[in-house]
Amino acid sequence: MNESCESHRLPETLSEQTRRYFLGRGMGVSLGAVALSLLDQTGAAVASPGEQGPGLPTLPHRPPRAKNVIFLTQSGGPSQIELFDEKPGLMKWAGQELPESVRQGQRVTTMTAKQQQLVMPSRTSFGRYGQSGATLGEWLPYHTQVADDLCFIKSMVTDEINHAPAMTKFLTGHQLAGRPSLGAWTSYGLGSENRNLPDYLVLLSRMKRASDQPLYEHYWGSGFLPSRYQGVKLRNAKDPVLYLRDPEGLPREVRRGMLDQLQEMNQLRLEQTGDPEIETRIRQYEMAWRMQTSVPELTDLSDEPESTFELYGSDSRRPGSYAANCILARRLIERGVRFVQLFHPDWDHHSRLSSWCVSRCRDTDQASAALVTDLKQRGLLDDTLVIWGGEFGRSVVGQGKWDSPEGGRDHHPRCFTMWMAGGGTKAGLTYGATDDFSFNVVENPVHVRDLHATILHLLGIDHERFTFRFQGLDYRLTGVEEAHVVHDILA
């Protein structure tokens, strides 16, 4: 193992004593009991001065620029050609075969492999907005109001062409399930200052129509990390967490006594085995106890002024909507939660692009811009990194009849657009460029690995030193291939 790496591992055999096991058996002190007693002494949301902070004691490696992350995940592949990447020269190529000098033999999916690769120009008009002159399509009118707060990366690249492996790589760094997600790595390394809510929370949009695109649990899973670091998914309903209330006739002190007895049994087993999943179970019971108070207060939006709902749009009053989840994300950040991830599906527009993509923009445009504005007005944007994007982009080639209202676009991994705001990123910047067909990156490519390295850097973590020992190997989010922090987008 490279001595510069800070590798963290679990015991490979039950005979190997961890510090947790040593404290439990060798000293007659229950570490879990000590931790829980500290938790029970205060109902405060943040750690008391002088106590060891959350996360690993070796982190952060450097002063962080961002303390929290809100990841606005647009599942399905938003079309950069309609939303961000203006290519007016495509009109002269309308209906013509994509030149081989552009395609260069690159793979397309089986959905379009047997059809002619005919160019479909953008279905939208574009304009330049703000002092930065950022280019935005007409389907994102509210984005134009915050253009100078955003950092656009127009040269994103990934390796996967289908949804599940592409989203898995986008969120875990590897195309196969089983690796920890970005949020889980963040929870493991940094923890959270809030004791009454999980470090990493996941909010799924409640769609007005059923989406045929699944969102798999491993997108926010902990992989080989202990399961306490996985994302906790809130329900997209009026009651985000079920069974928060104790049954009728069960006093709180009786419930507390039941949990204490259960904790004692779990603690005995933990001391015998050193199994981190037992510690996770203990923590989950205690967190559930605390969430009985913290979650109702969090999700009760009645204390929000009317101006909040006007800012985020009328749909923000509908529980589980993307707009309502954006408000919840801000409230979670205010309470010190480290990583909040929203998922909005149904950006997979193989047909009827002009109507379905417009609908997804209506779902998300106002609320996404409002979140940036809201955080900025509250003085939270400097410390909060907001990320917007999906697993890949869309192809310049039309799927179906290119000149029909039914036309759509196939998946495209070779270039797509994301944006970031706050948290140490450079506001009003457009970074990277694509060719005249929005098919290949021609300036400053940013691979998904580079994105992960940059996010960790903004959180104060050196991605090369942040590892976890599993099955004899030191794993890291960015893998073994070359990855670079994109310093040019940092403020």
Side-chain angles (χ1 to χ4, degrees), residues 262-464:
L262 187 60
Q263 185 271 332
E264 289 179 11
M265 291 187 289
N266 282 328
Q267 185 64 37
L268 286 172
R269 187 60 178 166
L270 172 62
E271 292 166 0
Q272 292 171 358
T273 65
D275 184 353
E277 291 306 305
I278 299 176
E279 184 187 26
T280 293
R281 188 181 307 155
I282 293 171
R283 289 176 176 271
Q284 285 174 334
Y285 280 124
E286 289 302 312
M287 179 59 72
W289 168 265
R290 292 179 172 278
M291 287 174 68
Q292 286 186 298
T293 300
S294 63
V295 168
E297 183 273 334
L298 164 74
T299 57
D300 180 7
L301 303 186
S302 63
D303 60 346
E304 292 286 344
E306 183 65 25
S307 58
T308 296
F309 300 104
E310 292 175 356
L311 178 65
Y312 284 85
S314 59
D315 205 31
S316 63
R317 297 185 182 276
R318 181 170 63 90
S321 68
Y322 179 84
N325 286 346
C326 282
I327 297 176
L328 281 181
R330 186 262 292 163
R331 290 170 69 92
L332 287 166
I333 292 301
E334 286 180 312
R335 288 156 177 78
V337 173
R338 182 73 67 182
F339 201 105
V340 183
Q341 187 159 16
L342 279 63
F343 283 86
H344 194 75
D346 216 21
W347 286 94
D348 189 26
H349 303 135
H350 293 277
S351 63
R352 287 182 274 180
L353 175 75
S354 297
S355 57
W356 286 2
C357 189
V358 169
S359 295
R360 297 295 75 74
C361 290
R362 287 173 180 164
D363 292 344
T364 61
D365 174 39
Q366 182 174 358
S368 298
L371 179 61
V372 173
T373 299
D374 200 4
L375 291 170
K376 186 176 181 180
Q377 290 175 347
R378 295 169 185 267
L380 296 171
L381 188 59
D382 287 344
D383 292 334
T384 303
L385 176 63
V386 184
I387 309 165
W388 188 103
E391 67 270 37
F392 45 51
R394 313 305 294 191
S395 175
V396 70
V397 172
Q399 184 169 347
K401 292 185 177 181
W402 71 270
D403 56 349
S404 165
E406 297 295 309
R409 298 190 187 278
D410 202 356
H411 312 162
H412 189 64
R414 297 298 299 170
C415 63
F416 58 106
T417 299
M418 296 183 61
W419 61 254
M420 305 168 80
T425 58
K426 191 176 293 185
L429 175 70
T430 294
Y431 184 79
T434 62
D435 61 20
D436 292 339
F437 294 82
S438 193
F439 202 85
N440 299 292
V441 173
V442 295
E443 180 183 306
N444 298 324
V446 178
H447 194 274
V448 169
R449 290 187 299 273
D450 304 321
L451 177 72
H452 291 162
T454 305
I455 294 170
L456 291 180
H457 177 85
L458 289 167
L459 290 167
I461 300 173
D462 183 339
H463 73 99
E464 294 183 331

Side-chain angles (χ1 to χ4, degrees), residues 13-319:
T13 67
L14 293 182
S15 62
E16 180 180 356
Q17 291 189 339
T18 62
R19 287 179 294 175
R20 197 175 297 114
Y21 182 84
F22 172 73
L23 287 171
R25 289 288 295 271
M27 298 180 64
V29 177
S30 164
L31 182 63
V34 171
L36 296 181
S37 67
L38 286 172
L39 290 176
D40 285 335
Q41 288 171 9
T42 174
V46 296
S48 301
E51 292 183 28
Q52 181 174 325
L56 300 175
T58 55
L59 295 180
H61 296 125
R62 60 176 61 84
R65 299 296 302 275
K67 295 180 180 179
N68 315 93
V69 176
I70 300 176
F71 199 148
L72 306 176
T73 311
Q74 313 300 320
S75 177
S79 174
Q80 79 282 2
I81 296 175
E82 270 66 38
L83 305 183
F84 305 108
D85 202 13
E86 182 183 21
K87 299 297 176 185
L90 290 178
M91 289 304 300
K92 66 181 181 182
W93 285 93
Q96 298 185 48
E97 189 86 16
L98 180 69
E100 183 56 36
S101 60
V102 175
R103 183 179 173 185
Q104 299 175 12
Q106 293 177 40
R107 176 190 175 194
V108 297
T109 74
T110 55
M111 291 175 282
T112 55
K114 295 183 179 180
Q115 73 166 54
Q116 279 189 294
Q117 302 296 299
L118 304 182
V119 171
M120 183 172 81
S122 175
R123 295 292 178 92
T124 63
S125 61
F126 283 81
R128 293 187 175 274
Y129 300 93
Q131 293 182 353
S132 61
T135 302
L136 286 162
E138 63 182 323
W139 295 349
L140 295 175
Y142 287 93
H143 273 62
T144 66
Q145 300 173 16
V146 294
D148 285 340
D149 296 311
L150 307 183
C151 175
F152 296 94
I153 306 175
K154 294 192 174 182
S155 51
M156 288 296 305
V157 181
T158 189
D159 306 310
E160 310 305 322
I161 199 169
N162 289 312
H163 293 293
M167 185 60 80
T168 303
K169 186 156 195 169
F170 186 54
L171 298 179
T172 74
H174 197 272
Q175 68 270 27
L176 299 178
R179 304 289 183 92
S181 61
L182 172 62
W185 276 109
T186 305
S187 172
Y188 166 66
L190 298 176
S192 172
E193 295 293 341
N194 190 314
R195 295 179 168 195
N196 299 329
L197 291 165
D199 305 342
Y200 174 23
L201 278 157
V202 176
L203 309 172
L204 309 185
S205 294
R206 184 178 184 181
M207 306 298 288
K208 292 181 179 179
R209 74 176 185 88
S211 173
D212 58 2
Q213 190 174 43
L215 294 172
Y216 299 106
E217 297 279 339
H218 69 259
Y219 291 165
W220 53 87
S222 58
F224 47 70
L225 294 175
S227 59
R228 59 168 289 204
Y229 300 112
Q230 69 185 5
V232 175
K233 182 178 67 173
L234 299 185
R235 297 173 68 245
N236 53 6
K238 186 176 180 180
D239 294 323
V241 180
L242 293 175
Y243 312 118
L244 282 177
R245 296 178 180 84
D246 291 326
E248 292 292 334
L250 181 65
R252 288 286 282 169
E253 59 270 18
V254 174
R255 170 66 79 185
R256 181 67 260 177
M258 294 169 60
L259 291 177
D260 289 342
Q261 293 175 19
L262 187 60
Q263 185 271 332
E264 289 179 11
M265 291 187 289
N266 282 328
Q267 185 64 37
L268 286 172
R269 187 60 178 166
L270 172 62
E271 292 166 0
Q272 292 171 358
T273 65
D275 184 353
E277 291 306 305
I278 299 176
E279 184 187 26
T280 293
R281 188 181 307 155
I282 293 171
R283 289 176 176 271
Q284 285 174 334
Y285 280 124
E286 289 302 312
M287 179 59 72
W289 168 265
R290 292 179 172 278
M291 287 174 68
Q292 286 186 298
T293 300
S294 63
V295 168
E297 183 273 334
L298 164 74
T299 57
D300 180 7
L301 303 186
S302 63
D303 60 346
E304 292 286 344
E306 183 65 25
S307 58
T308 296
F309 300 104
E310 292 175 356
L311 178 65
Y312 284 85
S314 59
D315 205 31
S316 63
R317 297 185 182 276
R318 181 170 63 90

